Amino acid sequence: MARHQRGRRSRYGAWHGGADPLAPPFDVRAAVDQLGEQVLAGESLREALADLLRRGPDGERGHGLDDLFERARRMRRDALRRGRLDGTVTRAQALLDQALAAEREALSGRQDDDARFAEARLDALPRSTSRAVQELSDYDWVSPEARADYERILSELRDEVLDQRFAGLREALKGADPASNPEAQQALSHMLSDLEDLLSRHARGEDVDDAFAQFMAQHGDFFPENPQDVDELVDLLARRAAAGERLMRSLTPAQREELSSLMQQAFGGSGLGEQLSALSETLRSLRPDLPWGRGDQLKGDQPLGYGEATGALAEVADLDDLLEQLGQQHPGATLDDIDVEAVERQLGRRAADDVRRLQQLERELRRQGWLSGSSTDALLTPKALRRLGSTALNRVFAQLTADGRGEHDVRSAGAAGEATGASRAWEFGDEQPLDVVRTVSNALRRHGAVTGRAVRLEVEDFEVVETERRAGAAVALCVDLSFSMVAEGRWGPMKQTALALSHLVATRFPQDALQIIGFGRYAMTLTPGELAATEPDFVQGTNLQHALMLARRHLRKHSDGDPVVLVVTDGEPTAHLEADGEATFAWPPRSSTIRATVDEVDQLTRYGATLNVFMLGEDGGLRRFVDAIARRSGGRVFTPSTRDLGQYVVSDYLRARRGRRRAG
């Protein structure tokens, strides 16, 4: 469609530049919820974030790293099926056979002794192509066609090698052959000499910016890729030299010997071969990370020439690098490791746009305050934890409602206290609700009632509703982090329960002090964010004694609150701390471990703490142990399924609060 305005002509059409620039960005909140779903299912934040980037956000499936990885893998497989790597040697053999056949035909028409001698010499040629070519270097060909075919063996190989190393060779030399044109050979030799000098200075750490600019001004026609600095030039040349080395490594020993000998003959005494070898060594020292010594086996029926073979191997090497970047499997891997330009070269513009969008999504998760920390050690921010905790709590509430456990009691459980019916003047810092009727009445009494006019409120007019003061609680939630929790599918429900309770306390009972304590062979205090990022501990040991010790420390720190200890576990104690602070593990549990754990239970009981245990699974030893400590402490034992764990823990906490309220 075209539109004219004041003599200007505008054209409109479909966008063909890759990803739609007007397309909305990823839904960051949806991505946060997706992360939350996986964290609540038991994954660590690191695993959840990696999974988000691998699969792509919901609604954008097929645009994640996994899809790009699979496309690159298929391209690598296709490159390895492009053809046989011995095509250069095969081509040389074919040209030699063609030349010998033409020469023998020419000799057969002659009856002199010289012809018979020439035939005898041809019959005595070695079977090796390179050695036969070398022995024929001083042969006086009778057939012009045979001579041309023979000369093509080395000239074609020489041209392919030089074209592979320098893409702009023909343009720079204006089509002249360095082997037969002294001026072209001198120009190429001059460029190689200047290049070696530039790279040697760069290797010594010298500032070569001006030298690089001068080199490109003089020899830029050899490099149509137009590198912008010496590092780009080194990368360009090193990858091509490495591809040539990989070709040699990929051939059989016999094929490698044949090709090496033919290449030496192709460059003869011109000195170009020595210059190219020196350049390769310099490039290898500058880029030792490239796969110089590795070979690959290509398959296929089509024989590949030198340029085609090195091109296929270079593509395989580039795809190997790309697969490593997209796989994100090496330690410390981040999206910034992905070379977006390499993605665009190999997989196209749309794939590069997908990577940029994933990088933008990760940046937005940080910029908008959902993630903190480094890319390799990300943490959920308080903002994200509130959203995650709210999701976990809503799920628990939904289960409580569905099971008919009293929606009203649950939904109103976080009230600041029951109203007493009285009110008082507002003071700075009050959190009680406003008494609207008395506030407006105060203003009317102060200023008098005037019909049709707005009521002017002063600070002195405000009153708040008095509520009953509720006692706070010191709550320690001890959660089992042993590997059995993962193996039996209890890791996710445990995390969801802890995060739901944490959110409930933070938003509805801020006067309560909750401490999450995780325990495996050792116990540790955890923030909700640390719990979300926690990964399974594959070290054996269930050290409940250490967890109860930390719980007791938390209760004493908050001695003005009602002491409550909640324990979620699926195995009897198998570890305890010795006098030196080191944990000892044994299975079956030793009597010393049981005694140490019971001692902690007794200390909590004497302190007046309520100790309730939520037992997951049907372990006989655990059942006997928890029944025994329940009798000693006066606490209770619950045996919820993993699905019901959250509602059991939250319900027990709320029941205890209602009990404290009635007792007050």
Side-chain angles (χ1 to χ4, degrees), residues 184-205:
Q185 180 174 325
Q186 184 177 2
L188 177 57
S189 179
H190 184 203
M191 185 275 292
L192 289 172
S193 178
D194 289 350
L195 178 59
E196 180 65 27
D197 179 66
L198 173 67
L199 298 186
S200 297
R201 291 176 58 188
H202 176 61
R204 292 193 297 268

Side-chain angles (χ1 to χ4, degrees), residues 209-264:
D209 289 346
D210 292 340
F212 171 77
Q214 183 178 356
F215 175 83
M216 290 300 295
Q218 187 172 1
H219 304 295
D221 289 344
F222 284 92
F223 309 97
E225 302 88 354
N226 192 27
Q228 297 301 301
D229 54 39
V230 70
D231 288 323
E232 288 190 14
L233 178 63
V234 168
D235 184 72
L236 171 72
L237 294 174
R239 289 183 180 278
R240 290 183 171 175
E245 183 66 25
R246 287 184 75 176
L247 173 59
M248 301 300 288
R249 299 282 182 175
S250 302
L251 297 173
T252 65
Q255 293 169 342
R256 187 183 310 128
E257 182 180 356
E258 287 285 282
L259 182 56
S260 178
S261 177
L262 288 171
M263 290 175 64
Q264 290 177 6

